[in-house]
Amino acid sequence: MRITRFIIALFISDCLIPTTPVSAAEVLQPAMNLPLLHEVDVVVIGGNSGAVAAAVAAAESGASVFLAAPKTYLGDDLAGTYQLWLEPGEKADGTLAREVFSKEGLITPMQSKRVLDQALVKAGVRFLFGSYATDLLRDASGNPAGVVIANRSGRQAVVAKVIIDATNRASVARLAGAEATPFPSGNHVFTRVMVGGTPPSAQTPITAPFEVDGGTLGHYPVLKYSLTLPMTDGSFASFAEAAHIARDCTWSNDVKDASDDLGFIPPDRIRGMSQHQAAWTGIEGLPLDVFRPAGVSRLYVLGGCADVDRNTAAALLRPVSAMSMGTRLGLAAATEAKATDSPVGVTIPAGLRSADVRPGQVRDIPANAPTRGNTTRTIPAAEQAVPVLGEYDVVVAGGGTGGASAAIAAGRAGAKVLMIEYLTGMGGVGTKGLISVYFFGNRVGFTNEIDRAMMAIDPESLKTKGERWDPELKAEWLRQEARKAGVTLWFATAGIGAVVENGTVRGVEVATTHGRGVVLAKKVIDATGAADIAAAAGAPCTVTNADEIAVQGTGMPPRKFGARFLNTDFTYVDETDILDIWRVLVTSREKYAKAYDLGQLIDTRERRRIVGELELTPMDAMTSRTWPDTIFIASSKFDSHGYTTDPLSQLRPPDPKNAVTVAVPYRCMLPKGLDGLIVIGVGMSVHRDALPIVRMQADIQNQGYAMGLAAATLAKNGKAVRELDVKALQRQLVEKGNLPESVLSDSDSFPLPPERLSEAVKTVTDNGKNLEVLLAQPEAAKPLLRQALDSSKGAEKVIYARILGMLGDPAATEVLIQAVNSAQWDKGWNFKGMGQFGANLSQLDCTIMALGHTRQKVAVAPILSKAAELTPASDFSHFRAVFVALESIRDPSAAKSLAALLALPGISGNAETSIQESFAKIMPSGTDESTRRRELIEMGLARALYRCGDFQGMGEQILRNYARDLRGHYARHAQAILDEKR
C-alpha cells in the first residue's frame, strides 16, 4: 500500500477570526452536594494515547485509577487527528505503543480505539467517555484533591490523591491556578488530515509510502494540510472558529473521511517547577519537574503545555512519545499516591466573583449517578460564580437531525445564534449515526430543500433504490448552511445544565475542553434528544420508571470505509446514563473489531421526554386529530422497534402496511412550568407508543426548522414562548412548503361528538374499527361498552370484555375468565426489534392481560393455569401476558408459580453487572433479539413476583442484580420497583 500526503499551506490574512468575547460577567450556582463518583489514588483527565498509557502504568503499579475522556473514544491524538501511522524514524516502544501499531503502515481508527479501550479494561482502570473536567476539588489544607466532571448524567466528584492533566490545553492545571505564559495573538499553524478529496488548490504533493485501501471503492490518498490561521486569543471560541475555517479551507465533495480535530502545538505553556529548553533527545532526558506546575502540588501536566521548548512540545505530542511519557508520569503519580494520605475535608471552595453577576441560577442536569450500588456519599460545593462565555438571541443545544435544522432556520431569520454539539459534525442519526436513509417521513418543505441539495452535490444521493445519501456530504452541507446563515458553531461542547430565572430559561450551562461556563440567550432550543436542558431547568419529564420496561431498540453501527448506510438494533441504551453509554461504546468496538471504525452516535430511538403543555397520544394520531397550532405533519408506519404498552395498540395491532399521518401541535414542544425553552426531537411531549410515528428524520428536520423560526421570532419580539403568533408562523411554514394551507383554518377536533362514540361501539367488533374513538374518551365510552357487553354474546361479547378489561373495569371479569379457561395457547409473538410493525400480543395474550387489569383476585387461578403450561421455549408475549396480569392483581397466591417460572432453565441469571459479563454476551448480529428476550422475561417475572409478595427472596435478589446492571434502563427500572416498598 502507499499513502500520498499533500502538504498545502494556506494563509488567511483578510481578517482575524471572529470570536465571541468572553465577558467578565458571571451567573451564580447555589451551594450544593455533588455525588461522589469514585475515590481513587490517581485520576487522569484526557483521552489521548498518553493519558491511557499513564492510567495503565499507574494501575499496574498498584494504584486505583479513574480516567475521564471527552470524546466517544480514546486516542484523540491518533484517530482524532488521523495520525494513524509512524513517521520515519519513529519506533513503537512499550507494550501499549506496540499494540497500537501492531502492523506496518496505516492502522485503522478502530484499531487505535479498540486497543486503548482494552488496555484500560485489562489494567482495571475505570473510565468514562463524554466527560469534561469542570471544577477542582481541594482538601482541608487547600491542596488539589481531585476533580469534578460533567457529562449527560450531570456532574460528579472524583476524589484523588494525584491528578494527571492530559488535556490539550492543560485545563485542570489552569483550574488549579497554575501560572501560564500568555497565549500570543496572531498567526498559528494547525494541521488537518483528510482521506481522499481533491485538494482545494494546486500544490506539489509529497509522497509517503502508504495509502488507504477502500476495497471495491479504490485506494485513497491521505491529505495532510498545514494551515496558518490567525487567532485573537486562546479561548475556546477562538479555537472553535479556527476549526471551522480549517474545514472551509480543506473540504471537497469527494472526501471519504477526515480528522475530527486539528493538530496544534500550543504556543503557551504551564510554568513548571523547573524549565527545560534543551533540544529534544527523547523522553528520558526530560526532568519530571517540567511536568509539575510551580506552586501546585499533586498534579502533573502531560502534553504540549508542559514547561519545555516548543520543539520538544511538538515531539511530546507524537503518539509514541506521548505514550512513553505517559508511562513515566503514571509511574511517578502512583509512587506519589502511595506516599500521600487520602484527602480529608474535600470540598469545592467558592471562587472569586466579579462585580457583574447576572440574574438567574445555574442548574445542572439532574444527577443520574453512573455507578451501580455505589456509596451515597457526596462532596459539598460552595456557591460558584460560573463565567458567561457569550450572549445570543437563540442558543440551540444539540446539532443533530432537529438541532441543525433549527439553527439554520433561526440564523436565516436574522437571529444571533449559537449551536453547540458534543460531536464534531452535524446531522445526528442521519450522518454520525449512519442511518442515512429515509424509511418514512413527510418529505416536504425544509426536508425537500435538503434533499434537493444532496442530489445536486451527489448524483447518487436519494435515488429510488435505497433512498440513501452520503453522510459525510450531508453533515458538511448542514455545517456550511449554518455558517452561511451566520450561526456560531461550537463542536465538542456539551450542554450540561440551564440558567433559570423565576421559571424562565435564560441560557445553557456548557462544558468544553477548556472548562465550563454559561451562554445566555433570549430563547433556548433543547435539541439534545433527551430533554437534557429541560430536565436541568426543572421541567417534569418522562423516563424509565417502575412501569413496564418497553423501550425502542438501540443500535451502534460499525463503519465500513466509504459506506453510506448501516442500521442496527441489538441492545437498549439509556443516553442519560453515562455508564451505559460507556458500556455500549466499549462492547461495540469488540463486537465490530474488524470494522474500519465505529459510528460515533448511538442510535437510540426513545429517550427522556418532557411533559409538555400537551402530550400527543396514539388516539390523537389514529383519529387524525387536528389542532389550531400544528407546526409539522409527520408520516410513518408504526416502526415500534419492540413492543407497545398502550391499550389501543394492544387491542388492535398497528397496520404494518400503511403509514399514518399525524399533525403535531406547538404545545408538544413547550415543557410545563417553564418559559424561554422549546424542546425538539424525540424529547418532545409524546406518548411512547405514538413516538414511532413522529420521530422520522424527514419530520424532525421540519420540526427543527419550524422551531428555529419560532425561537428567532420570539427573541426578536421579546415575547414569551406561549405568546407566539402561531398563525404567523404557520403562514411562513406554508410558504416554505412545510405545511398545507389547511392548517390555517384548523381547530381542535376534540372532544368527539357522542354519536361518534355510539357508532364506534357498534363497529368495534369489526376488527377493532374505530377503537381509537372509544379509547380517546374512555370515561364516556365505558357505560356504552358495558351496555354492549350485557347485550352481546359469543365472540363479540369477548371483544367488549377485552376493551373494558384493558380499561380496568371489573364488569368484564366473568366473561374474560370464561374466555381464558376455554382457550389454548395460540401463536404468540417473540421479541423483535428491527422491522417490528404489527401485533406483539396474541388473542389469548390480550385476553389474559385484560383479565389482569380488572384486578380481581378471582382471576388469579385461570391465569396460573395457563402459566403452568409455559416452557423456556414459549413465546415472549405469553410470558409477558402472565406477568403483567399477575402483577396487576398482586395476589400473594401467585408468588410460588412465578418463582417456578423463574426457575425454568435459561430464564434467570441474565444481568450484566461487569464489563466482562457484557463482553461474554456479545452477539455477532447487528439485529440481535435473543438476549433482550431472556432479560425482559426475567425482569418481568421478578417484578411480578416481588409485587405479589415474593418467594424466598427470589424476586428481590433478581431485581437487586438488575439494579447494578450496566444497562441504564434495566438498572433504573429495577431500582424503581425496589423503591416501592421503602
Side-chain angles (χ1 to χ4, degrees):
M1 296 193 308
R2 55 189 294 271
I3 260 184
T4 303
R5 182 177 59 178
F6 297 92
I7 304 291
I8 299 178
L10 301 176
F11 181 70
I12 303 171
S13 59
D14 53 324
C15 63
L16 287 178
I17 295 173
T19 63
T20 302
V22 178
S23 74
E26 294 159 336
V27 180
L28 298 182
Q29 184 169 44
M32 64 177 65
N33 291 314
L34 289 172
L36 175 62
L37 177 62
H38 293 299
E39 187 166 4
V40 294
D41 295 323
V42 178
V43 62
V44 181
I45 303 298
N48 57 46
S49 63
V52 174
V56 170
E60 290 178 345
S61 295
S64 58
V65 184
F66 172 76
L67 180 146
K71 293 188 179 296
T72 58
Y73 58 85
L74 301 169
D76 307 5
D77 53 340
L78 289 160
T81 58
Y82 213 95
Q83 297 287 338
L84 296 172
W85 65 91
L86 294 175
E87 294 286 3
E90 285 188 321
K91 183 180 179 182
D93 291 324
T95 301
L96 182 60
R98 286 193 294 270
E99 289 179 353
V100 169
F101 295 103
S102 60
K103 66 175 185 176
E104 292 185 3
L106 192 72
I107 63 172
T108 64
M110 182 71 90
Q111 163 82 2
S112 68
K113 296 174 183 179
R114 178 175 170 270
V115 165
L116 297 178
D117 281 351
Q118 288 303 307
L120 292 181
V121 170
K122 291 175 184 176
V125 175
R126 290 165 288 190
F127 62 108
L128 291 175
F129 301 110
S131 298
Y132 303 79
T134 63
D135 305 87
L136 189 77
L137 301 177
R138 292 190 183 273
D139 66 14
S141 300
N143 297 311
V147 296
V148 175
I149 60 171
N151 46 53
R152 296 197 78 167
S153 291
R155 286 195 302 148
Q156 310 94 35
V158 179
V159 172
K161 297 177 181 178
V162 180
I163 304 168
I164 297 178
D165 180 356
T167 62
N168 293 337
R169 297 291 301 141
S171 59
V172 180
R174 296 173 197 267
L175 283 172
E179 183 184 355
T181 62
F183 187 99
S185 63
N187 297 325
H188 294 275
V189 177
F190 296 82
T191 59
R192 189 176 192 221
V193 176
M194 318 288 282
V195 180
T198 304
S201 58
Q203 298 290 333
T204 303
I206 297 176
T207 303
F210 316 108
E211 69 181 9
V212 177
D213 184 356
T216 58
L217 296 175
H219 293 74
Y220 292 88
V222 168
L223 313 177
K224 185 172 183 179
Y225 294 86
S226 178
L227 309 170
T228 302
L229 306 176
M231 294 277 288
T232 54
D233 54 32
S235 68
F236 179 80
S238 187
F239 276 99
E241 184 65 14
H244 287 291
I245 291 180
R247 290 178 182 228
D248 295 339
C249 295
T250 56
W251 177 260
S252 61
N253 288 338
D254 50 350
V255 164
K256 295 300 178 184
D257 198 5
S259 63
D260 293 331
D261 302 324
L262 302 182
F264 180 67
I265 302 166
D268 54 342
R269 63 187 188 278
I270 300 296
R271 296 196 186 277
M273 294 175 65
S274 69
Q275 188 178 27
H276 184 79
Q277 295 298 316
W280 167 256
T281 58
I283 64 108
E284 294 301 330
L286 297 173
L288 287 181
D289 279 353
V290 304
F291 301 95
R292 299 172 65 94
V296 179
S297 61
R298 305 176 188 178
L299 189 147
Y300 295 84
V301 172
L302 171 60
C305 286
D307 202 353
V308 296
D309 72 276
R310 296 302 84 193
N311 289 330
T312 298
L316 280 173
L317 290 173
R318 288 295 303 160
V320 287
S321 297
M323 285 184 267
S324 294
M325 195 64 234
T327 299
R328 276 192 70 194
L329 292 189
L331 293 171
T335 299
E336 183 174 350
K338 291 175 185 177
T340 303
D341 292 334
S342 296
V344 294
V346 177
T347 64
I348 307 174
L352 297 177
R353 185 184 305 177
S354 73
D356 187 4
V357 175
R358 298 297 177 85
Q361 291 184 344
V362 178
R363 298 181 184 175
D364 298 334
I365 293 173
N368 178 16
T371 55
R372 304 295 187 263
N374 193 24
T375 174
T376 56
R377 284 182 57 194
T378 59
I379 299 296
E383 183 181 67
Q384 302 292 307
V386 185
V388 175
L389 304 181
E391 300 185 45
Y392 300 85
D393 295 326
V394 178
V395 169
V396 181
T401 311
S405 304
I408 291 169
R412 288 178 179 177
K416 180 184 178 184
V417 182
L418 170 68
M419 190 205 79
I420 63 170
E421 166 57 43
Y422 80 100
L423 296 176
T424 53
M426 296 169 67
V429 66
T431 58
K432 294 299 182 181
L434 298 183
I435 305 181
S436 49
V437 63
Y438 292 128
F439 285 98
F440 307 106
N442 190 16
R443 291 165 59 178
V444 297
F446 184 63
T447 286
N448 183 50
E449 178 189 343
I450 295 175
D451 294 352
R452 286 185 285 106
M454 288 297 97
M455 289 184 283
I457 294 169
D458 177 17
E460 295 301 313
S461 282
L462 296 165
K463 285 189 173 181
T464 302
K465 185 179 179 180
E467 296 280 317
R468 298 174 184 175
W469 56 81
D470 186 316
E472 294 289 338
L473 288 177
K474 184 168 184 176
E476 181 59 20
W477 183 85
L478 291 168
R479 191 190 72 85
Q480 291 181 6
E481 283 301 305
R483 298 269 290 169
K484 289 177 187 175
V487 177
T488 299
L489 303 175
W490 287 2
F491 289 165
T493 304
I496 61 168
V499 178
V500 184
E501 180 191 10
N502 297 325
T504 298
V505 176
R506 301 293 189 190
V508 177
E509 180 190 11
V510 300
T512 75
T513 52
H514 290 218
R516 73 166 172 151
V518 296
V519 284
L520 302 181
K522 296 175 182 176
K523 292 293 175 286
V524 172
I525 296 177
D526 183 341
T528 60
D532 288 346
I533 311 306
C541 292
T542 299
V543 70
T544 309
N545 52 30
D547 297 339
E548 272 201 87
I549 184 163
V551 181
Q552 294 186 61
T554 296
M556 191 73 222
R559 184 179 172 203
K560 182 180 179 181
F561 183 82
R564 289 171 174 255
F565 164 81
L566 188 69
N567 194 8
T568 59
D569 178 349
F570 59 86
T571 188
Y572 292 135
V573 178
D574 178 0
E575 285 208 77
T576 70
D577 189 320
I578 198 68
L579 185 65
D580 198 4
I581 293 171
W582 168 80
R583 186 265 316 175
V584 78
L585 290 169
V586 172
T587 56
S588 294
R589 279 191 272 273
E590 284 300 289
K591 183 182 181 79
Y592 301 117
K594 296 182 179 179
Y596 169 76
D597 200 357
L598 186 72
Q600 292 186 37
L601 185 77
I602 303 170
D603 289 326
T604 49
R605 300 171 172 90
E606 181 176 345
R607 306 170 201 157
R608 174 171 53 201
R609 302 181 299 282
I610 60 167
V611 176
E613 289 294 313
L614 184 147
E615 181 188 65
L616 189 78
T617 69
M619 282 66 74
D620 295 330
M622 300 309 297
T623 57
S624 300
R625 186 172 182 176
T626 58
W627 315 91
D629 57 338
T630 295
I631 54 90
F632 76 100
I633 295 177
S635 178
S636 177
K637 294 181 184 177
F638 202 90
D639 189 15
S640 65
H641 282 268
Y643 59 88
T644 54
T645 59
D646 186 83
L648 176 59
S649 52
Q650 292 175 343
L651 288 162
R652 188 190 66 198
D655 184 348
K657 296 181 180 179
N658 297 315
V660 177
T661 299
V662 186
V664 183
Y666 175 59
R667 285 166 288 169
C668 289
M669 272 54 77
L670 304 183
K672 276 190 175 180
L674 287 175
D675 193 12
L677 180 68
I678 296 170
V679 179
I680 65 174
V682 296
M684 67 180 133
S685 182
V686 56
H687 187 281
R688 68 163 308 275
D689 282 355
L691 183 60
I693 309 173
V694 300
R695 64 166 175 78
M696 293 297 155
Q697 291 184 64
D699 300 322
I700 297 300
Q701 287 171 169
N702 282 334
Q703 177 208 40
Y705 183 88
M707 293 299 90
L709 283 179
T713 301
L714 291 168
K716 178 180 179 181
N717 297 332
K719 298 288 187 179
V721 294
R722 289 164 182 78
E723 296 175 337
L724 177 70
D725 185 340
V726 174
K727 291 304 173 188
L729 174 64
Q730 287 176 331
R731 284 191 289 271
Q732 288 181 280
L733 296 174
V734 168
E735 184 178 350
K736 180 67 178 176
N738 281 36
L739 292 175
E741 194 168 357
S742 58
V743 301
L744 298 174
S745 56
D746 280 343
S747 59
D748 192 343
S749 54
F750 273 39
L752 299 173
E755 54 268 24
R756 282 202 65 183
L757 269 72
S758 299
E759 180 65 20
V761 171
K762 296 176 184 177
T763 59
V764 75
T765 55
D766 180 12
N767 294 314
K769 185 177 180 180
N770 290 319
L771 174 63
E772 63 273 15
V773 173
L774 300 175
L775 297 183
Q777 297 174 193
E779 294 308 313
K782 280 181 184 180
L784 300 177
L785 287 166
R786 291 191 201 104
Q787 292 174 12
L789 177 69
D790 292 340
S791 61
S792 61
K793 58 184 178 179
E796 289 189 351
K797 196 175 191 73
V798 175
I799 290 172
Y800 288 124
R802 283 199 198 104
I803 299 171
L804 281 167
M806 284 294 193
L807 294 176
D809 194 321
T813 304
E814 183 179 346
V815 175
L816 292 172
I817 287 175
Q818 293 175 359
V820 170
N821 284 334
S822 63
Q824 301 295 317
W825 278 119
D826 47 5
K827 180 175 175 52
W829 176 82
N830 249 329
F831 182 84
K832 183 177 176 63
M834 188 73 79
Q836 167 55 27
F837 294 96
N840 52 69
L841 291 174
S842 71
Q843 288 294 304
L844 180 54
D845 293 333
C846 190
T847 304
I848 290 173
M849 288 181 69
L851 178 56
H853 285 313
T854 66
R855 293 177 169 80
Q856 303 301 298
K857 290 187 177 182
V858 69
V860 173
I863 296 170
L864 291 181
S865 176
K866 288 293 179 285
E869 300 173 14
L870 297 177
T871 71
S874 296
D875 291 327
F876 170 82
S877 66
H878 296 341
F879 280 101
R880 181 182 172 220
V882 167
F883 63 66
V884 168
L886 292 175
E887 73 177 345
S888 297
I889 302 170
R890 303 197 181 195
D891 191 305
S893 66
K896 190 172 182 179
S897 295
L898 286 165
L901 290 176
L902 280 164
L904 291 172
I907 295 298
S908 296
N910 298 295
E912 295 176 17
T913 59
S914 71
I915 196 64
Q916 287 74 23
E917 288 178 334
S918 296
F919 285 146
K921 291 174 65 175
I922 289 174
M923 304 296 286
S925 171
T927 56
D928 174 66
E929 290 150 348
S930 61
T931 55
R932 282 175 290 178
R933 174 189 179 274
R934 295 192 299 267
E935 295 149 6
L936 291 168
I937 289 173
E938 181 182 11
M939 276 194 296
L941 290 172
R943 183 181 72 210
L945 175 57
Y946 187 72
R947 287 171 168 167
C948 288
D950 215 346
F951 181 78
Q952 297 178 351
M954 180 186 289
E956 180 177 353
Q957 185 56 55
I958 290 172
L959 291 171
R960 292 201 181 282
N961 289 340
Y962 276 104
R964 297 185 296 112
D965 200 289
L966 297 182
R967 293 160 295 190
H969 287 296
Y970 290 177
R972 185 188 286 110
H973 178 61
Q975 189 60 56
I977 298 162
L978 291 167
D979 289 344
E980 289 178 344
K981 291 189 178 181
R982 285 187 175 179

